[in-house]
Amino acid sequence: MIVLIAALVIITLIGIRFSRFHEDYMGVPQTTAIKGFFAVVILFSHMASYLNMTETFQDRLFASVMWSIGQLMVTLFFFYSGFGIMESYRKKGTSYYRSFIRTRLLKVLLHFDLAVLLFAVVNLILKIDYPVSQYITCWFAWDSIGNSNWFIFDTLMFYLITFTAMMISEETKIPPKLFCSVITVLCVLLWGVLEWTKGEPMAYWYNTILCFPLGLWYSEFKKSIDSLARKWPLWIAGLFLIGAVFAVLHAKKTTNAFCLCAPVFCLLITWITMKIRFNNKVLLWLGKYSFSIYIIQRIPMIILKHFGLVSNNILFSALSVITVFPLAFAFQKLLDVSDRLLFKKK
């Protein structure tokens, strides 16, 4: 397993570019590459949950790496989503608001439900049973029938929250900072609701929520941040400050500390990408298919486990990695077809 992490690190280092300041560090190529890296980290993490980890040095090292990263692997997806929404709304305004439900929320829900349908078929073929209640609520990502779901539920809630803020903004013409404040308050309320309903054992449902509103605030203050970060002394000072805060919060290993640690991690990675660009073709491909990789990856794992291959860590890992990428590619093509039919521009 640790060999897979080493391979990912090597791929990531291919073609990196250093600069005094990358003007497009929040552009699509760079953020797509970063998402590609973390999509594979998520794959490794989910894959490890099926394995019988031993006390060997390799397994302990792999488990230690995965434990250290934890929920941080999803933070950039929320952060970049918030940033992108704010940038688009600032540029497109009312037209973006009017199409938001259709092109954002409904599209993600359809993509998710197409994946859930595949899981339902696999469960039927393999005779895997789930309660009827889960088959009812799984379509809205509240429950799972073997698929990953909490990330999609949070994403859908973020979109509903954003749409609510857009409605308020369109009616009252509130300034951008107040718009971001409304979304932040609603996200904190979502955090409270999920903490109350899911509880401490399922903290992963809410411990990365603040990353989304942080993305909006970063968009709002990006010009000011960039003007400071272009100066090497201030960038270095910022790097040490953000790194120190992250290290302190991460070391506490409590849920409340992690809720703050997650957005600080987003700032740390963003700060680094101001000077270092990661955008080789492999990472870009992985980022382009990151949603499909995430939402489909458990299907081959479920099938491999059903046939008893989970007892062999090496074989299970190799087959999971080999099968998930072509499966994700095929699923993405299905999504492309559905988008052309249902979400084509009028």
Side-chain angles (χ1 to χ4, degrees), residues 106-107 110-112 114 331-344:
L106 291 181
K107 181 181 287 189
L110 173 65
H111 291 181
F112 173 73
L114 287 174
F331 184 69
Q332 185 60 52
K333 295 305 176 184
L334 172 64
L335 298 185
D336 292 342
V337 171
S338 69
D339 288 350
R340 284 196 296 270
L341 293 175
L342 300 175
F343 301 104
K344 60 183 178 181

Side-chain angles (χ1 to χ4, degrees), residues 58-261:
Q58 293 88 343
D59 282 356
R60 284 190 288 110
L61 180 59
F62 177 81
S64 177
V65 172
M66 289 294 102
W67 175 255
S68 297
I69 298 174
Q71 287 293 99
L72 297 175
M73 65 186 75
V74 304
T75 56
L76 273 301
F77 291 89
F78 289 154
F79 175 73
Y80 291 149
S81 178
F83 178 86
I85 285 174
M86 190 63 184
E87 291 285 300
S88 296
Y89 188 45
R90 182 182 293 110
K91 295 174 182 176
K92 301 176 183 178
T94 301
S95 63
Y96 186 66
Y97 156 67
R98 288 175 177 171
S99 64
F100 189 84
I101 289 293
R102 181 176 61 88
T103 60
R104 281 279 187 168
L105 192 148
L106 291 181
K107 181 181 287 189
V108 169
L109 183 60
L110 173 65
H111 291 181
F112 173 73
D113 284 345
L114 287 174
V116 170
L117 180 61
L118 293 180
F119 277 89
V121 171
V122 170
N123 291 342
L124 179 64
I125 294 173
L126 299 182
K127 295 181 172 56
I128 300 174
D129 294 324
Y130 285 93
V132 174
S133 60
Q134 287 183 226
Y135 273 101
I136 295 175
T137 55
C138 69
W139 304 100
F140 303 99
W142 184 250
D143 271 315
S144 167
I145 55 172
N147 57 292
S148 300
N149 64 308
W150 74 266
F151 177 88
I152 301 300
F153 179 85
D154 282 6
T155 299
L156 295 174
M157 291 302 100
F158 292 151
Y159 289 170
L160 282 175
I161 286 171
T162 302
F163 183 72
T164 300
M166 285 180 179
M167 284 196 297
I168 296 172
S169 178
E170 290 295 314
E171 291 294 328
T172 62
K173 305 302 178 183
I174 59 176
K177 290 181 178 60
L178 186 54
F179 173 78
C180 294
S181 298
V182 171
I183 292 178
T184 302
V185 170
L186 292 176
C187 283
V188 171
L189 290 175
L190 174 63
W191 172 4
V193 171
L194 290 176
E195 185 173 11
W196 176 59
T197 55
K198 296 297 182 179
E200 183 76 18
M202 303 178 74
Y204 53 85
W205 277 75
Y206 55 83
N207 62 11
T208 55
I209 278 178
L210 294 181
C211 298
F212 179 78
L214 177 66
L216 284 92
W217 284 109
Y218 196 92
S219 171
E220 183 63 19
F221 289 102
K222 184 177 181 296
K223 290 183 179 179
S224 299
I225 295 171
D226 289 357
S227 65
L228 295 175
R230 285 189 177 89
K231 303 171 183 177
W232 271 101
L234 293 179
W235 181 84
I236 294 173
L239 181 64
F240 276 100
L241 177 61
I242 297 170
V245 173
F246 169 75
V248 170
L249 292 172
H250 192 267
K252 288 183 178 297
K253 300 187 183 305
T254 64
T255 299
N256 288 336
F258 189 88
C259 290
L260 300 176
C261 178

